[in-house]
Amino acid sequence: MVQITINGKQIEVPEGTTVLRAAELAGIDIPTLCDHKELTPYGGCRLCIVEVQGFRVPIASCTLPVSPNMVVNTETPALKKSRKFVLSMLFSERNHFCPFCQVSGGDCDLQNAAYREEMTHWPMQPGWNGYPVDSSHPYFVLDNNRCILCRRCVRACAEMTGNFTLSVAERGAASIIVADTNVPLGESTCVKCGACVQVCPTGALIDRTSAYQGHETEITPVKSVCVGCSVGCSVTLRVRDNRIVRIEGDWDGVVNRGSLCEHGRYHPMTESRQRITTPLMKKNGKLEPVSWDEALGAVADKLKPLAGDAHNGVAAIASTRLPAEVLASFRALFAEKLGAQMVTSTEEGMTTAAVAALAAKTGAFEGRLDVLKTADTVLCIGANVAKSHMVAGFLIKRALPKGMKLINIDPEGDALDELADVALKNQPGSDLALIEGLKAIVIKENLGRVPMAVPNADKVIASAVETTGLPLEKLTLAARMLAHAISPVILYGKGITAQRNEQLIEALFNLAVLVGAVDQERVGFLSVKGEANSLAAAQFGLDAQFALNGQQAVYAAIGDDYVSKYLVERLSKAPYLVVQAAYESKLTEQADVVLPVTIWSEQEGHYVSMDGRVQKAEKAIIAPEGVRENGAVLSEIAMRMNMPIHTDWNKSLHERKSSVVLS
């Protein structure tokens, strides 16, 4: 710890802390524009200058580390004069028409800094540049006329997302932010994560959906959890007049630290499906609006006589986007009270069944997503994290320029192939042979970290080459790269788990142990799951493959999930179909009863991330009139059948051994 004095106040901070962060810890405000706590200090705007005893000139506090007994002043007359001059220069460089800007009125860091220094006008006339506004992007707009060249967006694109789409073109006062080789944003390599918009301190980058929808003081922030996938990113929902104005990454989120992907930030804001706001029942071959009492009564009357009939009774299927509380109630009602044999989830355990089967024997064997932050080599197999679970992909992509090596294995190939040190496109279905081949090479060359034997290593390697269709040189290069790593990580996904082969998961885990990815100090072995509550569904035993075998009724708790064509086709054979859903779909069209329920932002509940973090999502908005919460609908049906359900979802969550430590 280091002791320093700021404005006469003595404080103690960790060694290596910058003066700016030390001041924040002491509750002392130092204005800044280019600095951001999740980005590497840049020292470009010079607004955060301070006077340090013994230093000849003022210095930027954002890049200055503390030293023992340092004495700092942040508010001298000379500093205020310098800051006002810096701001005057910034205002003069571009066209900052504050009254017409969507972030004016408290949301703009530049404007707020000017008011802090008691500026009321432009001391210098602007240069009146006429930069074209780039509105080609589907989600946001780039206006270089309002840019102060703080480079936050450029740094966020590189450091948070690892995409390196944005950069600075030209020089001096003519410098502008461009995408790639100065192509329109909508035609660039942008992955639409929106990090650049969230860190922009002015109105140079603005969201299309939230622009001119209200200032921060008029919007209520609600911290919650993204339900777009199983990564479990923390989000801040900006709510006004019972609607979500904007979705932002939560800077305090333990998983994502402010990062979000397109699926979490923008897809919920562009939802175009038609809501269902009243119960529907099929009468004379056509769905007609009915009361809740009539709809629930009809469902209860149909299901109750089928209770206890294991073969001709009820089948039930639920979305893995539903909260853990709802999934627990769903299982309790259909598996325990009604005695249904076919009770599962819409994912049918595709990403979890084989993993859970191994966990039942060994206990937890997977680690945290955080291991990607310190890995020097990553083997990614069967997980297209450049397309789905994108924040996990960001953790890999942003580490590559720092020296991380990437081995990407995908029979179909994906966007990570271009970034990988070794990209292997093996024959479909040859994953086990590939993994055994990698193990055999490591053992044959005596590169393993733990004793492990492979009989007839040469034969195994030859078989791997023949089965995978890969050259021996590439297999050997991948094996050596993984074995020579100091902190390797193996990340696998649906390409592996969907095969439902426990032996395949075990072989991959043994490879992780062999190369030191798993030892007593760290667990660099994990899988990306499916939707937000894939792991919770697995813990509740909702991971069987769905099949109809004489059941007289099917209950589908879809919530706000999308319905696949495959599911619609299979449920079309149901003699009687009840669909609990928020949106119209092909499935609701063929239902006998439709029960309208809440969407993700209209309900609270818990979600279990892919690496075992149990997090609570908060209710942000009130559902439309006539819509009921998912759990309440299940409870009401149970009550009408005289089968009340009382579940301890958290206890149920821990009854089955998990592949990860739940916390």
Side-chain angles (χ1 to χ4, degrees):
M1 301 294 283
V2 177
Q3 285 192 340
I4 66 170
T5 302
I6 304 180
N7 295 349
K9 184 177 182 179
Q10 287 190 343
I11 60 173
E12 191 174 66
V13 296
E15 186 176 354
T17 305
T18 63
V19 171
L20 179 62
R21 296 287 172 254
E24 288 179 355
L25 292 172
I28 298 170
D29 175 48
I30 299 178
T32 184
L33 289 171
C34 70
D35 182 78
H36 193 281
K37 68 177 184 177
E38 290 301 322
L39 303 176
T40 303
Y42 177 60
C45 70
R46 317 309 289 180
L47 193 63
C48 69
I49 54 174
V50 295
E51 291 182 356
V52 181
Q53 193 175 87
F55 283 47
R56 185 172 57 85
V57 295
I59 189 167
S61 61
C62 67
T63 56
L64 178 65
V66 296
S67 59
N69 303 317
M70 177 184 280
V71 179
V72 179
N73 286 302
T74 70
E75 295 295 332
T76 67
L79 286 175
K80 293 184 70 68
K81 183 178 180 180
S82 295
R83 286 177 184 151
K84 187 173 290 188
F85 177 74
V86 168
L87 288 166
S88 299
M89 294 296 292
L90 287 171
F91 275 103
S92 71
E93 285 183 345
R94 300 291 161 95
N95 309 336
H96 296 288
F97 296 109
C98 294
F100 303 98
C101 182
Q102 75 102 8
V103 296
S104 175
D107 296 350
C108 174
D109 290 355
L110 176 64
Q111 187 183 52
N112 292 342
Y115 285 147
R116 185 184 186 280
E117 301 306 321
E118 301 177 347
M119 292 178 64
T120 58
H121 62 284
W122 294 327
M124 306 176 201
Q125 281 295 309
W128 307 119
N129 299 296
Y131 295 109
V133 176
D134 186 348
S135 58
S136 62
H137 199 280
Y139 298 131
F140 49 84
V141 174
L142 170 61
D143 184 357
N144 271 296
N145 295 287
R146 294 173 179 174
C147 178
I148 60 172
L149 296 171
C150 67
R151 291 169 173 77
R152 273 196 193 178
C153 58
V154 176
R155 292 146 59 207
C157 188
E159 296 178 23
M160 294 176 63
T161 307
N163 214 54
F164 300 90
T165 296
L166 299 178
S167 61
V168 179
E170 306 301 335
R171 300 175 67 184
S175 299
I176 58 171
I177 302 298
V178 298
D180 296 333
T181 55
N182 201 6
V183 301
L185 263 174
E187 301 172 14
S188 71
T189 57
C190 173
V191 294
K192 305 178 181 68
C193 70
C196 56
V197 181
Q198 187 169 333
V199 300
C200 181
T202 65
L205 282 159
I206 60 172
D207 273 330
R208 289 180 176 275
T209 55
S210 65
Y212 302 99
Q213 298 294 310
H215 295 132
E216 293 295 323
T217 55
E218 304 165 326
I219 295 176
T220 302
V222 180
K223 290 200 173 188
S224 192
V225 180
C226 175
V227 298
C229 74
S230 59
V231 172
C233 295
S234 299
V235 296
T236 300
L237 308 177
R238 304 288 181 179
V239 180
R240 184 183 187 188
D241 298 332
N242 200 42
R243 61 188 177 88
I244 298 174
V245 172
R246 185 168 65 254
I247 301 174
E248 296 179 346
D250 181 3
W251 298 116
D252 298 322
V254 293
V255 176
N256 55 317
R257 301 297 299 178
S259 292
L260 278 184
C261 69
E262 177 186 6
H263 304 291
R265 190 187 300 270
Y266 292 119
H267 281 187
M269 301 299 298
T270 55
E271 179 62 71
S272 59
R273 290 179 291 172
Q274 184 65 41
R275 282 298 295 268
I276 305 170
T277 57
T278 185
L280 303 171
M281 279 185 62
K282 188 166 287 184
K283 296 182 177 181
N284 300 319
K286 184 180 178 182
L287 285 172
E288 300 285 353
V290 296
S291 67
W292 269 102
D293 184 65
E294 183 178 354
L296 292 171
V299 173
D301 290 344
K302 180 66 178 181
L303 299 185
K304 188 174 182 179
L306 301 176
D309 190 335
H311 301 291
N312 299 311
V314 182
I317 188 167
S319 166
T320 48
R321 275 176 60 99
L322 293 170
E325 293 88 337
V326 176
L327 292 176
S329 296
F330 174 82
R331 185 191 71 169
L333 174 58
F334 291 100
E336 298 170 13
K337 297 293 184 178
L338 287 170
Q341 294 297 304
M342 179 46 60
V343 182
T344 188
S345 69
T346 49
E347 284 186 42
E348 304 175 60
M350 186 174 291
T351 61
T352 56
V355 179
L358 181 57
K361 299 177 181 178
T362 66
F365 60 89
E366 293 187 321
R368 294 286 198 201
L369 194 61
D370 296 343
V371 294
L372 289 173
K373 298 177 182 178
T374 56
D376 64 350
T377 302
V378 173
L379 170 65
C380 185
I381 180 168
N384 189 354
V385 291
K387 184 177 180 180
S388 63
H389 302 82
M390 292 175 70
V391 171
F394 296 165
L395 294 177
I396 295 174
K397 289 170 62 178
R398 68 194 192 194
L400 292 175
K402 301 176 182 177
M404 175 194 281
K405 295 187 181 301
L406 174 62
I407 304 164
N408 194 48
I409 303 176
D410 189 337
E412 299 179 1
D414 57 54
L416 282 185
D417 282 348
E418 299 176 4
L419 305 174
D421 296 271
V422 179
L424 303 178
K425 297 177 69 173
N426 58 308
Q427 291 294 324
S430 65
D431 297 298
L432 183 57
L434 172 59
I435 293 165
E436 294 294 353
L438 292 174
K439 284 169 54 182
I441 293 171
V442 172
I443 292 171
K444 179 183 177 181
E445 298 192 0
N446 199 29
L447 298 175
R449 306 286 181 87
V450 297
M452 197 175 289
V454 173
N456 301 315
D458 288 328
K459 185 177 180 180
V460 172
I461 295 169
S463 175
V465 171
E466 181 182 356
T467 307
T468 63
L470 297 171
L472 176 60
E473 294 76 14
K474 271 203 165 186
L475 278 176
T476 303
L477 178 59
R480 289 173 179 171
M481 187 176 293
L482 191 61
H484 286 142
I486 297 173
S487 53
V489 169
I490 294 180
L491 178 71
Y492 63 104
K494 190 164 65 174
I496 295 295
T497 56
Q499 298 179 47
R500 292 179 177 270
N501 186 344
E502 184 185 335
Q503 182 186 359
L504 178 58
I505 306 298
E506 190 169 4
L508 191 59
F509 178 73
N510 288 336
L511 175 63
V513 173
L514 178 65
V515 299
V518 176
D519 55 32
Q520 293 182 345
E521 296 182 359
R522 63 190 292 273
V523 181
F525 184 76
L526 67 156
S527 63
V528 293
K529 309 302 190 293
E531 293 199 83
N533 252 338
S534 289
L535 185 54
Q539 290 303 107
F540 295 139
L542 305 175
D543 53 5
Q545 290 181 282
F546 183 80
L548 286 178
N549 186 25
Q551 285 89 350
Q552 296 302 301
V554 175
Y555 193 102
I558 301 300
D560 59 3
D561 206 350
Y562 288 87
V563 179
S564 69
K565 182 179 179 181
Y566 182 52
L567 180 63
V568 172
E569 289 176 353
R570 287 187 294 172
L571 294 191
S572 64
K573 302 173 183 178
Y576 185 83
L577 177 61
V578 182
V579 179
Q580 177 177 314
Y583 296 105
E584 292 181 359
S585 67
K586 292 293 184 180
L587 190 63
T588 60
E589 289 177 6
Q590 65 188 32
D592 293 280
V593 180
V594 179
L595 305 174
V597 288
T598 51
I599 63 174
W600 64 278
S601 57
E602 297 166 353
Q603 62 193 1
E604 66 176 31
H606 288 79
Y607 292 84
V608 185
S609 69
M610 56 179 272
D611 59 356
R613 302 176 197 269
V614 182
Q615 304 177 101
K616 186 179 181 181
E618 299 292 346
K619 179 177 179 178
I621 56 178
I622 300 172
E625 185 177 355
V627 171
R628 296 191 181 183
E629 292 191 1
N630 285 277
V633 172
L634 295 174
S635 295
E636 178 65 22
I637 292 173
M639 290 296 293
R640 286 173 179 259
M641 295 189 295
N642 295 318
M643 300 177 181
I645 48 178
H646 304 286
T647 61
D648 184 340
W649 68 270
N650 196 26
K651 181 181 178 182
S652 299
L653 192 70
H654 291 82
E655 287 176 350
R656 188 180 190 185
K657 287 183 179 179
S658 171
S659 62
V660 296
V661 177
L662 301 176
S663 62

